[in-house]
Amino acid sequence: MSKAGTKLWERLPTYWERLQKPLIRMEQKAVLSEEKLQAEVTTEMAQTAKEEGKPEAARRTSKPAPPAITKEAESIRSRLSQGIQGVVGSFTAVAFNAAQILVVVGHGLLRRHLTLMNPRPILGAIFMIVPEHHHERTLTILQRVGRFIPRWAFATLLAMLVVGLLVFLLMWPFFGFVDALALGLIAGVFE
């Protein structure tokens, strides 16, 4: 157990870096798209002002388009394909990182569940630590704890379900189905 914990602790910076890289790329793409869109809007406003006969407004809003952007590259088809590629690439990266996080968290939850189903190794370790003359009292305490663990586990699972469902339902109108579902799952697991 301590070896697994040590390995996880050593790999944690790598996991964090793998999670951060796609997010940074998405942010950089968003900034570039925003700058490009702003340049297009400014150019369109200048052309509209020029057509309406307002030369002052045209001069204020006209900024030359970046030289790297050509008419062919600006076609609707190329913009649409670039947008789809960006969305699919970002979604794939985020989905892969989310799947990795869920596997790690799911593994931890499964281990806890299996421990609750078969507590003998833990009880044996407790009795090895406790001196023999306290074994009777220890057994009484562990029996009391054993009566409450199923209720605690049920209450915890119910709380996870309620929190996850509420977060999903409240975030759905704001973020859409997929993002709200991801937030609900994350909130439920962290609960």
Side-chain angles (χ1 to χ4, degrees):
M1 167 113 171
S2 65
K3 287 182 183 179
T6 305
K7 284 183 181 179
L8 178 64
W9 185 255
E10 290 171 355
R11 292 179 183 171
L12 198 57
T14 307
Y15 293 145
W16 180 251
E17 184 179 321
R18 288 173 76 181
L19 179 66
Q20 289 295 319
K21 283 182 181 179
L23 295 176
I24 290 171
R25 275 188 245 133
M26 284 174 32
E27 184 179 359
Q28 289 172 344
K29 286 181 182 179
V31 168
L32 290 174
S33 296
E34 186 177 334
E35 289 172 354
K36 186 177 173 182
L37 182 64
Q38 191 170 10
E40 288 176 3
V41 168
T42 304
T43 304
E44 287 177 13
M45 286 174 56
Q47 287 176 350
T48 305
K50 195 181 282 186
E51 289 172 1
E52 291 177 355
K54 299 177 183 175
E56 287 182 26
R59 273 187 242 122
R60 279 187 303 207
T61 58
S62 66
K63 288 184 181 176
I69 300 174
T70 63
K71 293 282 185 185
E72 297 89 29
E74 290 290 324
S75 73
I76 294 174
R77 183 185 300 170
S78 66
R79 281 190 273 169
L80 184 60
S81 86
Q82 288 172 356
I84 290 173
Q85 287 173 352
V87 168
V88 169
S90 299
F91 177 75
T92 304
V94 170
F96 181 72
N97 288 329
Q100 285 182 327
I101 290 169
L102 286 176
V103 165
V104 170
V105 171
H107 180 259
L109 291 175
L110 180 65
R111 286 179 53 190
R112 281 194 191 86
H113 179 70
L114 293 175
T115 301
L116 289 175
M117 289 181 67
N118 183 15
R120 285 191 182 114
I122 293 174
L123 297 178
I126 290 173
F127 280 109
M128 285 176 52
I129 294 171
V130 174
E132 264 188 61
H133 63 278
H134 291 296
H135 277 200
E136 217 174 292
R137 179 80 174 139
T138 304
L139 182 61
T140 306
I141 291 170
L142 288 174
Q143 286 174 341
R144 285 183 187 169
V145 169
R147 278 186 247 132
F148 291 106
I149 284 182
R151 293 182 201 154
W152 168 81
F154 177 73
T156 302
L157 290 174
L158 185 64
M160 289 172 64
L161 179 68
V162 168
V163 167
L165 187 63
L166 284 176
V167 167
F168 167 70
L169 291 175
L170 291 172
M171 294 298 131
W172 189 355
F174 299 110
F175 296 114
F177 180 79
V178 175
D179 293 336
L181 182 63
L183 287 173
L185 287 173
I186 291 168
V189 167
F190 281 132
E191 175 61 30

